[in-house]
């Protein structure tokens, strides 16, 4: 199998594979398609594409292999200590809290930074190995911010895009980072830098301006009208590209699915209203705050425990980090307390599950829920909000959404709230509950408007618009940036 000569390379911290164990104990690597895979598959497939990433298990790496659709998966090996310092440490205990506006205090550790640099270098070596002359490389997310700069040095022939999936903070926060110049230099190795929101892009442009670089134009959405000029003459485009979901995959409900939805409702005791939360168990997601709001509404009698049930699905995440352990304890304590106060035997008012569910089951939960509670303190986009909306093509249901989620820019027909203000969360939740009974025409209109927005702005549009702009940014050079429609191969 030829590993060189890939015209289009995606690089992400994680490879889209899982290590699965069969009944006989044998282990195999199996592709695990997620949103990013769905978005990029047409381009990857049309261009002999290659995906470079860590397979998710320390000190193990399968041989490179092709998926059924012909995409080459190329693993990068990380040791247990790389995982601790690069991934858990610098990525998730330094950058994650800093970029989410200091919801918890970031740790600045020099050894973690060394590991971050070293792992970015390793990724760059692997990419340089698999990318064809003049190939396009699309680097994903905060774990790999140095990669564009390193690759630019190693392989000036490449067209490089970089997309950040989490928020980019204001320059006043960012300047805390002891390695801020090197980080910005790394990102600026790209030809095009994409953020979810114009506000994130503006933060980056402001930072570049403060570092003395020439900035021209304003950031816009799905377009490149802002540019940063670097000493030496290279120009970098900056724009907003709001990510979305494979909307079609969520919205289609067969009769079998509908029976499943009805059964789920029955399993919960057929309450009048079901409120749902679905999150990775992360302190940015505001799970405790939404539980507190729910508890206070039960306490005052604004909500009746005989009529409402809250279901919280919390997928385990970054479980070895202290802030994540603390968040889990607080959430589970609140669930226990609320149930202790307001449940009857056999009828808990909060159903809590600390494990994931398969995607086809998750769709049924979304469809079953009357109200979706999405209350992050800060979120780059939040796909859960869009997935819920995609599952309500009939206009049923209502979305309570934090103003601090990127999705609020597009889903402004949601019941918006400020998660830092419990009264605001209570108000939005109560308004949604009441509107479903008192103003069904309004709630239907609001949901249908959001549904139309999500269906017409899916993840395909995201990847097409980014890659289209990347092509334009490199126009006049020897770029072979792929046609985003996958037709030019
Ligand atoms: C980062 C940014 C940005 C959750 N529980 C289950 C499950 N999920 C899936 C959801 C959704 C995904 O996980 C979570 O995506 P979010 O966007 O909500 O949040 P992050 O994980 O923080 O993602 C975020 C995103 O990157 C993309 O750029 O939107 O702002 O933080 O797709 O469906 N899936 C299954 N079972 C579960 O129990 N199958």
């Amino acid at each position: 199998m030829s590993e060189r000569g890939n015209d289009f390379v995606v690089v992400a911290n994680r490879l889209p594979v899982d290590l699965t164990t069969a009944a006989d104990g044998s282990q195999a690597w199996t592709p695990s398609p997620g949103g990013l895979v769905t978005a990029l598959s047409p381009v990857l497939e049309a261009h002999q594409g290659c995906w470079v990433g860590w397979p998710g298990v320390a000190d193990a790496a399968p041989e490179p292999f092709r998926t059924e659709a012909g995409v080459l998966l190329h693993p990068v090996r990380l040791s247990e200590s790389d995982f601790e310092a690069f991934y858990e440490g610098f990525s998730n205990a330094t950058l994650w809290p800093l970029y989410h506006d200091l919801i918890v205090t970031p740790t600045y550790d020099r050894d973690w930074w060394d590991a971050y640099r070293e792992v970015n270098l390793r990724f760059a070596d692997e990419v340089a190995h698999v990318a064809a002359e003049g190939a396009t490389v699309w680097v994903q997310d905060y774990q790999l911010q140095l990669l564009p700069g390193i690759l630019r040095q190693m392989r000036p022939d490449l067209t490089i895009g970089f997309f950040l999936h989490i928020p980019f903070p204001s320059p006043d926060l960012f300047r805390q980072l002891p390695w801020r110049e090197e980080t910005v230099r790394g990102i600026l190795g790209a030809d095009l830098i994409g953020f979810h929101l114009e506000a994130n892009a503006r933060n980056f442009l402001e930072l570049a301006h403060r570092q003395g670089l020439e900035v021209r134009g304003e950031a816009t959405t799905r377009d490149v009208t802002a540019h940063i000029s670097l000493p030496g003459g290279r120009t970098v485009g900056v724009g907003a590209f709001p990510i979305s979901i494979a909307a079609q995959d969520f919205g289609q409900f067969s009769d079998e699915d509908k029976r499943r939805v009805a059964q789920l409702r029955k399993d919960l005791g057929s309450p009048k209203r079901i409120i749902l939360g679905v999150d990775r168990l992360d302190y940015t997601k505001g799970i405790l705050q939404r539980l507190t709001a729910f508890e206070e509404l039960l306490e005052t009698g604004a909500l009746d425990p005989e009529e409402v049930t809250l279901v919280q699905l919390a997928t385990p995440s970054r479980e070895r980090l202290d802030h994540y352990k603390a968040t889990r304890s607080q959430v589970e304590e609140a669930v226990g307390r609320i149930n202790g106060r307001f449940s009857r035997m056999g009828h808990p008012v909060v159903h809590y599950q600390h494990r994931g569910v398969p995607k086809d089951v998750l769709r049924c939960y979304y469809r079953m829920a009357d109200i979706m509670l999405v209350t992050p303190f800060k979120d780059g986009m939040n796909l859960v909000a869009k997935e819920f909306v995609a599952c309500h093509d009939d206009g049923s249901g209502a979305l309570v959404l934090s103003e601090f989620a990127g999705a609020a820019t597009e889903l402004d027909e949601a019941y918006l709230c400020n998660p830092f203000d419990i009264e605001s969360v209570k108000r939005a939740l109560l308004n949604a509950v009441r509107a479903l009974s008192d103003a069904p025409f309004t709630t239907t209109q609001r949901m249908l408007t959001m549904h139309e927005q999500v269906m017409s702005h899916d993840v395909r549009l995201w990847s097409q618009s980014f890659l289209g702009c990347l092509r334009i940014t490199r126009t006049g050079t020897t770029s072979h940036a792929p046609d985003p429609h996958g037709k030019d191969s």
Side-chain angles (χ1 to χ4, degrees):
M1 173 192 318
S2 165
E3 269 213 59
R4 293 169 189 278
N6 296 283
D7 288 330
F8 181 53
V9 181
V10 170
V11 202
N13 173 54
R14 268 298 254 119
L15 211 56
V17 293
D18 285 325
L19 184 63
T20 49
T21 307
D24 65 1
S26 63
Q27 292 195 314
W29 298 95
T30 49
S32 62
L36 209 52
V37 189
T38 313
L40 299 173
S41 289
V43 206
L44 281 164
E45 287 161 21
H47 290 269
Q48 269 231 316
C50 174
W51 187 308
V52 177
W54 176 54
V57 179
D59 293 308
E63 284 300 305
F65 68 101
R66 278 196 197 278
T67 64
E68 273 173 24
V71 176
L72 181 67
L73 302 183
H74 183 94
V76 179
R77 194 184 181 96
L78 294 188
S79 68
E80 184 60 38
S81 70
D82 291 331
F83 179 74
E84 280 170 25
F86 153 77
Y87 182 75
E88 293 188 315
F90 199 78
S91 297
N92 289 321
T94 305
L95 294 173
W96 180 268
L98 177 63
Y99 285 26
H100 286 86
D101 290 357
L102 313 182
I103 296 165
V104 304
T105 306
T107 302
Y108 299 114
D109 179 310
R110 283 166 285 191
D111 292 336
W112 290 355
W113 164 252
D114 289 342
Y116 184 79
R117 225 177 11 193
E118 203 275 316
V119 170
N120 270 254
L121 194 60
R122 201 177 313 155
F123 270 80
D125 278 335
E126 302 289 348
V127 175
H129 176 72
V130 298
E133 176 73 19
T136 292
V137 177
W138 192 0
V139 181
Q140 309 287 327
D141 227 357
Y142 62 104
Q143 302 92 350
L144 300 175
Q145 292 174 113
L146 305 183
L147 187 50
I150 302 170
L151 266 184
R152 173 73 51 204
Q153 299 271 323
M154 287 177 156
R155 293 284 304 270
D157 58 299
L158 300 176
T159 296
I160 304 171
F162 175 76
F163 187 81
L164 187 70
H165 289 260
I166 65 174
F168 192 81
S170 87
D172 280 334
L173 294 185
F174 182 80
R175 71 199 178 106
Q176 283 193 1
L177 187 65
W179 308 279
R180 57 197 180 188
E181 280 89 11
E182 205 166 340
T183 302
V184 173
R185 255 204 316 279
I187 298 172
L188 285 170
D191 295 290
L192 175 64
I193 303 167
F195 300 91
H196 287 306
L197 305 181
E198 290 174 15
N200 304 147
R202 277 197 298 273
N203 283 343
F204 188 80
L205 292 168
E206 170 69 21
L207 183 66
H209 173 70
R210 287 197 198 177
Q211 291 197 354
L213 296 171
E214 189 200 331
V215 173
R216 285 175 288 112
E218 304 265 318
T220 46
T221 299
R222 296 186 200 90
D223 204 353
V224 238
T225 49
H227 293 92
I228 300 171
S229 301
L230 302 180
R234 214 165 58 77
T235 298
V236 179
V238 176
F241 301 87
I243 202 168
S244 192
I245 58 168
Q248 296 294 346
D249 294 356
F250 279 89
Q252 315 277 327
F253 282 85
S254 64
D255 288 345
E256 173 58 29
D257 289 334
K258 287 179 186 161
R259 272 194 292 279
R260 222 164 165 181
V261 171
Q263 186 59 45
L264 272 178
R265 234 189 144 94
K266 231 164 132 188
D267 292 346
L268 293 170
S270 305
K272 184 171 172 209
R273 293 291 175 222
I274 297 173
I275 303 167
L276 176 66
V278 175
D279 312 79
R280 273 188 309 102
L281 212 166
D282 192 300
Y283 54 79
T284 59
K285 303 288 183 184
I287 303 172
L288 180 63
Q289 280 59 27
R290 86 179 63 132
L291 287 167
T292 308
F294 182 63
E295 181 176 25
E296 291 188 10
L297 289 170
L298 292 170
E299 200 171 70
T300 58
L303 290 180
D304 180 352
E306 292 298 323
E307 293 192 342
V308 294
T309 292
L310 191 150
V311 178
Q312 177 65 54
L313 303 180
T315 322
S317 182
R318 305 171 193 169
E319 289 195 281
R320 301 200 305 192
L321 301 186
D322 288 344
H323 288 298
Y324 287 77
K325 286 184 191 155
T327 302
R328 180 176 175 192
S329 302
Q330 290 160 358
V331 164
E332 295 184 351
E333 188 190 317
V335 170
R337 188 183 61 241
I338 299 168
N339 276 333
R341 294 181 69 192
F342 300 104
S343 301
R344 276 190 294 118
M345 284 300 162
H347 289 275
V349 69
V350 180
H351 292 254
Y352 168 78
Q353 183 172 302
H354 183 240
R355 60 183 180 277
V357 295
K359 188 176 161 193
D360 55 329
V361 177
L362 182 61
R363 289 172 62 245
C364 294
Y365 273 96
Y366 285 139
R367 178 72 169 217
M368 170 199 72
D370 299 297
I371 293 160
M372 185 83 211
L373 267 180
V374 179
T375 58
F377 293 118
K378 190 82 184 171
D379 218 329
M381 176 54 66
N382 195 290
L383 298 180
V384 164
K386 291 188 172 182
E387 290 165 4
F388 172 74
V389 167
C391 291
H392 287 259
D393 60 339
D394 57 352
S396 62
L399 173 66
V400 173
L401 180 60
S402 162
E403 295 162 20
F404 294 87
T409 311
E410 290 169 83
L411 304 179
D412 55 0
E413 291 290 318
Y415 292 81
L416 294 175
C417 67
N418 170 6
F420 295 93
D421 173 6
I422 290 288
E423 292 303 326
S424 165
V425 182
K426 285 163 69 179
R427 220 167 24 244
L429 176 54
L430 205 53
N431 283 343
V433 170
R434 287 184 177 153
L436 283 174
S437 298
D438 301 345
F441 179 75
T442 309
T443 55
T444 304
Q445 289 308 309
R446 289 173 78 149
M447 185 53 76
L448 290 177
T449 304
M450 292 193 288
H451 188 263
E452 167 59 27
Q453 169 69 22
V454 171
M455 298 312 286
S456 57
H457 296 79
D458 69 358
V459 73
R460 195 68 69 81
L461 178 65
W462 170 74
S463 57
Q464 286 177 354
S465 55
F466 184 92
L467 292 172
C469 287
L470 182 55
R471 252 168 112 90
I472 295 166
T473 317
R474 283 281 277 200
T475 300
T477 71
T478 53
S479 163
H480 296 132
D483 175 351
H485 302 281
K487 288 179 188 151
D488 67 352
S489 60

